[in-house]
Amino acid sequence: MTWQSELRMRQARLCANLISKVAKRSSGRRLVEVLRRSPWLVQALVAERRPFPDLAAAALAVKGHDRGSHSNAYNVTLHAQLSQNPRPSDYAAFFHLVTRSHSIHRIFDYGGNVGNLFYYYSRYLAFAEPTTWIVHDLPEVVAEGRKMAAARGEHRLEFATDRASADGADLFIASGSLHYMDEPLATTLSRLQVKPRYILINRTPLTDGKTVATVQDGREFMAPCMLLNKQELIDSLTALGYRLVDRWDATELSLRLPFHPENSAPYYSGLFLEQPSPATT
């Protein structure tokens, strides 16, 4: 990244923070509503921190200065460090899994990086034996995950780059990953011959506004992602036969669009769903 791009990112970050603070006041919200009528001004002030029609458009806007997005070395290292201890939103997940873990033999970890969830979930939850934990991610991230698992002598982990590996899983996890995927979760699940009994969604920016794409500022990288309408997501999964068991707030994370507070996620969300019995198609 050139120094001009770096300077531009810092300027946009500063403006985004300032506008978000201004928008918290009633008079400030009115000013923001007026300013956002000029798309060129919005782009000049906050760059990619705005709505896009889809992930492809968001990816195009950030092309050339995304720093590798999800495969960025900093991103991989950061998530590995975060796996040392559970975060606040993990405890809701533990609550729902602890009474069900005895019946879970096969886990599909959607966008699971290098196996972060496995390493700290396995410290707190006793899954059935034998257990297979399949981590899905990009090829370069999967390669790092395999190296880490080999170094730790961990044989319960498997790695995959295709969604079809979720077929027959007892538990489908999308923790901190669902908003990066290029197709709706219901579409992914509908292709499986044997759908998972349980679905755990955590640390995902869900909103009451319409579903839009945007760009997440990861400080050292930029990543296209979705801001998903919460009710649309739930309805799409209940249409497949799932029942919503619980929802919670992941207050440690947020994703704000300075000029579009109605589409912002002041905190991320978690959901737990289950089928009354294993479902097949």
Side-chain angles (χ1 to χ4, degrees):
M1 179 180 291
T2 64
W3 67 267
Q4 295 97 330
S5 296
E6 182 68 30
L7 185 61
R8 169 64 167 145
M9 285 181 64
R10 293 186 181 185
Q11 170 262 307
R13 189 177 294 139
L14 179 63
C15 288
N17 291 336
L18 179 61
I19 294 166
S20 293
K21 291 179 180 179
V22 169
K24 291 180 180 180
R25 302 179 181 179
S26 57
S27 58
R29 284 195 295 272
R30 290 193 293 271
L31 175 61
V32 167
E33 288 174 1
V34 171
L35 293 177
R36 79 178 189 182
R37 295 172 188 169
S38 301
W40 67 267
L41 180 60
V42 172
Q43 183 174 355
L45 291 174
V46 299
E48 295 83 13
R49 296 159 186 80
R50 62 188 196 275
F52 293 91
D54 51 42
L55 273 182
L60 183 62
V62 79
K63 185 178 181 180
H65 59 276
D66 60 354
R67 290 185 171 180
S69 190
H70 303 290
S71 59
N72 179 279
Y74 169 83
N75 185 36
V76 174
T77 301
L78 173 64
H79 283 85
Q81 292 173 344
L82 290 172
S83 70
Q84 299 303 310
N85 295 290
R87 286 179 271 177
S89 56
D90 286 314
Y91 289 97
F94 290 162
F95 175 80
H96 292 291
L97 292 178
V98 69
T99 57
R100 298 171 171 88
S101 58
H102 65 281
S103 62
I104 296 174
H105 291 269
R106 185 176 175 87
I107 300 163
F108 184 79
D109 189 355
Y110 197 30
N113 204 268
V114 293
N116 309 317
L117 281 185
F118 167 80
Y119 289 115
Y120 65 80
Y121 272 36
S122 59
R123 280 190 257 144
Y124 298 91
L125 298 170
F127 290 105
E129 293 293 342
T131 297
T132 300
W133 187 300
I134 304 168
V135 176
H136 163 277
D137 216 297
L138 299 171
E140 52 269 43
V141 179
V142 161
E144 288 299 316
R146 287 181 176 136
K147 290 179 184 177
M148 182 181 294
R152 298 186 181 192
E154 183 51 68
H155 303 293
R156 291 171 291 177
L157 272 177
E158 294 182 5
F159 293 87
T161 57
D162 62 291
R163 299 178 175 100
S165 298
D167 208 340
D170 300 304
L171 171 64
F172 186 107
I173 300 177
S175 183
S177 61
L178 186 61
H179 47 297
Y180 301 124
M181 301 307 170
D182 58 0
E183 72 175 12
L185 178 57
T187 301
T188 298
L189 296 176
S190 67
R191 295 196 181 104
L192 303 178
Q193 292 187 356
V194 180
K195 298 180 181 64
R197 173 76 183 276
Y198 307 111
I199 298 175
L200 168 62
I201 298 169
N202 206 3
R203 291 193 281 274
T204 292
L206 304 180
T207 76
D208 294 325
K210 66 179 182 179
T211 293
V212 297
T214 190
V215 175
Q216 181 187 41
D217 182 356
R219 309 300 292 186
E220 296 295 327
F221 63 95
M222 305 291 283
C225 69
M226 300 297 297
L227 281 157
L228 302 169
N229 178 274
K230 183 183 299 183
Q231 196 57 53
E232 286 179 359
L233 173 61
I234 294 172
D235 289 346
S236 69
L237 296 175
T238 55
L240 292 179
Y242 288 95
R243 177 179 68 90
L244 178 65
V245 176
D246 192 16
R247 65 176 77 182
W248 59 91
D249 299 334
T251 55
E252 67 266 34
L253 295 167
S254 64
L255 181 55
R256 301 176 186 273
L257 304 186
F259 283 103
H260 295 269
E262 74 281 1
N263 288 119
S264 298
Y267 44 78
Y268 282 27
S269 298
L271 304 172
F272 190 82
L273 304 96
E274 68 178 0
Q275 295 217 25
S277 60
T280 60
T281 58

